[in-house]
Amino acid sequence: KLCKQYFPVDILSKILSINVDLQTDATLQVDISDALSERDKVKFTVHTKSTLPNFKQNEFSVVRQHEEFIWLHDSFVENEEYAGYIIPPAPPRPDFDASREKLQKLGEGEGSMTKEEFTKMKQELEAEYLAIFKKTVAMHEVFLCRVAAHPVLRKDMNFHVFLEYNQDLSVRGKNKREKMEDFFKNVVKSADGVLVAGVKDVDDFFEHEKTFLLEYHNRVKDASSKSDRMIRSHKNAADDINRIASTLYTLGTQDSTDVCKFFLKVSELFEKTRKIEARVAADEDLKLADLLKYYLRESQAAKDLLYRRGRALVDYENANKALDKARAKNKDVLQAETSQQVCCQKFEKISESAKQELIDFKTRRVAAFRKNLVELAELELKHAKGNLQLLQSCVGVLKGDT
Amino acid sequence: MQLEEEVEDKFELNISITNPEKVGEFHYISPFSTTLPMFRSKTFTVRRRFSDFLGLYEKLSDKHTPNGYIVPPPPEKSIMGMTKVKVGKEDNSSAEFVERRRAALERYLQRVVFHPSLLQDPDVREFLERDDMPRAHNTQALSGAGFLKMINRATDSLSKMTIKMNESDVWFEEKLQEVEAEDQQLRKLHIMVDSLVGHRKELSVNTGGFAKSVAMLGSSEDNTALSRALSQLAEVEDKMEQLHQEQAASDSFCFAELLADYIRLLGSVRASFDQRMKTWQRWQDAQNMLQKKRETEAKLLWANKPDKLQQAKDDITEWEAKVTQYERDFDRVSATVRKEVLRFEKEKACDFKKQIIKYLESLLQSQQQLIKYWEAFLPEAKAIA
C-alpha cells in the first residue's frame, strides 16, 4: 500500500537540526533534494552545487542508496591518510520494519473497527512513517554535509565519485567473510582500546581529551536512551488522549441534549490538544533525542581518532625500541631508522590534525547544543501557549454555557 | 456544597468527610453543618467505618429500590475497582488509595443527602446523627464485584423475559437502550483514562530518570556555559517530573473517578428499570391467576359443585383486589422511575460539567506552570557560547 512515497523538498530542508555552523561555501554545497521510499529500500537524490574544477558540471544530481553511504564512510575509515581526522559518523540504516509491521497489522484488523477508527489509526501510522522517513533523510544529509565541510575529506576521490557518478556504484553489501573480518577487527580494536586507554599520555591535552571523551560518551549514551524512554511515554499519553477524544465524540453523538453537546466540545478540545502533545513529543525527539544520538556517534568517532593516535604512538614506541635493538646489534640499522622516522612522522601528523579536530569537535558540539536547546525551549513554549489558549477558550465557552 | 433545585424549600446541608484515622479499621469523621430543621443541631460530627457506609446502602436499597428509586451505590471494597487493572503500585494502605476512598465516600454521601426522598429516610438521619452505629453485617454482597454481579444477573433475567410492551412504554424501552449504550461508552472511556493515568505516571518516572541523566551529562561537559545550561535543563525536567505526577493525579481523581461513579450509578438506574419490570410481571401474573380462578369458578358452576363455589368466589375477589393493587403499584413505580431518571439526568449533566471543567482547569494550570519553567530556561540556553 505504501510502496512509493514522495516527499517535497521544502519539508526536507526544515528537518536539519544537527547541521550547525558548517562552512557551507559556494565551492561545494551538498544536500538531499528528494527521497523515495520503496518496498525495502530508500532512494536518496543527492544534489550538488559546486564551482570546483574537478566536476564536469556546476550542478548535478545522482540517486544513492544507504549501502553506498556506508561504502563511502568505510572508505574514509580504511584510508590511512585520514587517520588523524574525526570521520563523520555513518548514518544509521533506514528502519521502517516496526512501522511497516504496524501498518500491516492495521490492515489485517480493518474489519474489527469502525471506519472512523480505522481512518484515524491509519493517519497516525502514516504520520509515524513519515516522521521516521524524514529523520533518515536528515541523517544521511548531515553525513554528506559534514564531509563537504571538512577541508580535507571534501577533496576525497571517492566522495567525488559518490556525488557525480550517475550509475549505480555497485557496492555490494559485505559478504559473510567480510562481516566476520569486521567483527574481529572491532574486537581487537576494543581490546586495544582498553590497553591504550590505560596508558597515561605525556601530552596533557590528549590526556584530558581521553578522560573527557570516555566519560562524556558514556553519559551521552545514558542520556540518549533515557530521552527515548521519556519521549515514548509522552507519545503513549498523546495516543490515550486521542482515544479519549474519540469515545467522548461517540458519547456526544448519542443524543442532542446539553450534556451531549458538552461532550462534543470537550472531544473537540482533546482532539486539538493531543495533536499539540504529539507535536511536543516529535519536537523533543528531533531537538533532544536526535541531538544526543548524533553526539553519541560523534563522540565514538572522536574516541576512534584517539585510538588511532594511540596505535600510532605504540607503533612509534615499538619502532624506537627496534631501532635501539638494531643499533645495539649493529644490524639493519638503516632499515630501523627509516621505519622509526616513518612512524614518527605518522604519529606527529596524526597528533597535529587530531588536536585541531578535537577542538573543532568541541566548537561544533557547543554550537549544536545551543541551537537545539534554544529551539527546544522555543518550541515547548510555543506548544504550551497554544495548549493554554485552547484550554482557556474552551473552559470559557463551557462555563458560559452552564 | 449547596444544591439549587426546584424543591420548594431551599436548604443548606454541608457534608464533608475528612481524615480517616486508623483505629483498628479506618474511621471516617464526617463534619456536617445544616440549616435543616429536622436535625437536632446545626453542626455535628460523627465517626463511621467503611462497613457502615455499605450498611446504609443496603438498608436504603432494600427499602427504596423496589419502588423504582435510583439509590446511589457506595464505592467498591476492593482496590481493583472498575477495570480490574492495577495502575502502579497500590495497596490498601497507600496514600493514594486512602484519599480515593475518602473522596468516593464523600461523593456517595452527598448524593444520598441530595436525593429529596432519601433525605427523609430515618436511616439516613440516623447515619448522620447517631453517635455509635451498630456494626453492619452481611455487607459481603455489597462489595463492588458482588454488587455488579447482582445487577448483571438481574438484567440478564430481564432480557430473557419476553415482554410485550404496549405504546406507553416506548419511553422506558428507549431510555433503557440509552442507558445501556451510555454504560458501554463510559466503561470504554474509563479504561482509556486509566491507561492515560498509567502512561502519565510512567512519563513522570522517565522524565525524572532523564533529568538525572542530563545532570550527569552537564557535569562532565567541559564548556562552562553549556555545562550550566545542561544542569538548568536537568532542573526543568525535574520540575516536569513533578508536574506530570500532579497531572496524573488530576486525571485520576477528577476524571477517572467521575466515570467510575457514573458506571456504578448507571447500574442503579438499570436496577430501577428492573424493579419496574418485576412489578409489571407481578401484575401480569396476578391477571393470569385471576383468569385461572374465573375458569375454576366456571368449571364448578358447570359441574354443579355448590360447596366449592364459595371458595372459588372468594378467590376471585382476592385476586381481583390483587390485580388492582399490582396495577396501581406498576403505575406508581413507573411514575417514580420516570421522575427519578429525569432527576438523575439533570444531576448527571451538572456533575459532568462541573467535574470536567475542574479537570480542564487543572490541565490549564499545568500548561501555565510549563510556560514558566521553559521561559526561565530559554535565556540560559541562549547564554551558551
Side-chain angles (χ1 to χ4, degrees), chain A residues 233 240 362 365 370 399, chain B residues 199 206 221-222 361 382:
Chain A
S233 295
D240 284 333
K362 200 168 308 258
R365 184 177 78 244
R370 183 188 191 280
K399 273 184 166 164
Chain B
H199 283 138
N206 289 338
E221 172 60 59
D222 57 2
E361 284 179 333
K382 287 187 168 159

Side-chain angles (χ1 to χ4, degrees), chain A residues 271-326:
Chain A
E271 250 311 319
K272 292 188 187 139
T273 60
R274 81 100 196 160
K275 279 203 179 98
I276 294 182
E277 284 303 320
R279 266 251 60 88
V280 171
D283 286 339
E284 286 177 346
D285 202 17
L286 278 175
K287 303 295 169 191
L288 209 48
D290 279 355
L291 175 73
L292 293 168
K293 276 198 200 78
Y294 186 78
Y295 278 93
L296 178 60
R297 293 203 301 278
E298 272 265 354
S299 56
Q300 181 62 49
K303 275 167 70 182
D304 290 346
L305 170 61
L306 281 182
Y307 162 75
R308 289 195 293 272
R309 177 179 171 276
R311 269 238 64 90
L313 178 58
V314 167
D315 288 347
Y316 180 30
E317 284 173 350
N318 287 342
N320 272 337
K321 287 189 196 134
L323 179 59
D324 287 343
K325 240 197 222 161

Side-chain angles (χ1 to χ4, degrees), chain B residues 13-24:
Chain B
L13 180 48
N14 303 312
I15 298 182
S16 64
I17 297 185
T18 58
N19 312 329
E21 59 175 64
K22 207 170 185 179
V23 182

Side-chain angles (χ1 to χ4, degrees), chain B residues 279-337:
Chain B
T279 57
W280 184 86
Q281 194 60 49
R282 203 168 51 152
W283 175 32
Q284 299 304 306
D285 291 345
Q287 282 181 318
N288 292 338
M289 189 54 88
L290 178 62
Q291 184 62 22
K292 274 202 199 112
K293 298 296 180 189
R294 287 197 173 130
E295 283 167 8
T296 310
E297 187 201 35
K299 273 194 212 137
L300 289 174
L301 275 170
W302 193 83
N304 202 11
K305 291 212 179 121
D307 43 328
K308 291 206 175 132
L309 208 54
Q310 188 53 45
Q311 178 62 46
K313 283 203 198 292
D314 287 342
D315 281 351
I316 289 176
T317 318
E318 181 194 341
W319 282 98
E320 274 175 346
K322 279 193 178 158
V323 165
T324 315
Q325 180 58 47
Y326 293 164
E327 185 177 1
R328 270 200 219 116
D329 282 347
F330 175 67
D331 288 338
R332 177 179 51 83
V333 170
S334 292
T336 305
V337 169

Side-chain angles (χ1 to χ4, degrees), chain A residues 1-7 35-38 103 126 129-130 133:
Chain A
K1 283 168 212 170
L2 277 177
C3 284
K4 281 194 177 191
Q5 293 277 1
Y6 185 83
F7 297 104
L36 210 73
S37 165
E38 284 184 357
L103 272 163
E126 282 176 349
Y129 192 95
L130 176 58
F133 184 80

Side-chain angles (χ1 to χ4, degrees), chain A residues 214-281:
Chain A
L214 280 171
E215 190 185 66
Y216 188 80
H217 178 80
N218 287 335
R219 292 190 178 178
V220 159
K221 195 189 260 181
D222 189 54
S224 175
S225 81
K226 298 262 162 68
S227 79
D228 281 344
R229 227 178 282 172
M230 176 180 79
I231 291 165
R232 203 174 16 246
S233 295
H234 214 143
K235 285 198 182 119
N236 287 338
D239 285 343
D240 284 333
I241 298 174
N242 194 17
R243 281 188 273 270
I244 290 170
S246 294
T247 314
L248 280 173
Y249 182 79
T250 312
L251 270 168
T253 50
Q254 282 183 338
D255 210 333
S256 53
T257 59
D258 270 356
V259 178
C260 287
K261 288 196 197 118
F262 181 83
F263 282 147
L264 285 175
K265 287 205 186 100
V266 177
S267 164
E268 198 185 320
L269 171 70
F270 282 161
E271 250 311 319
K272 292 188 187 139
T273 60
R274 81 100 196 160
K275 279 203 179 98
I276 294 182
E277 284 303 320
R279 266 251 60 88
V280 171

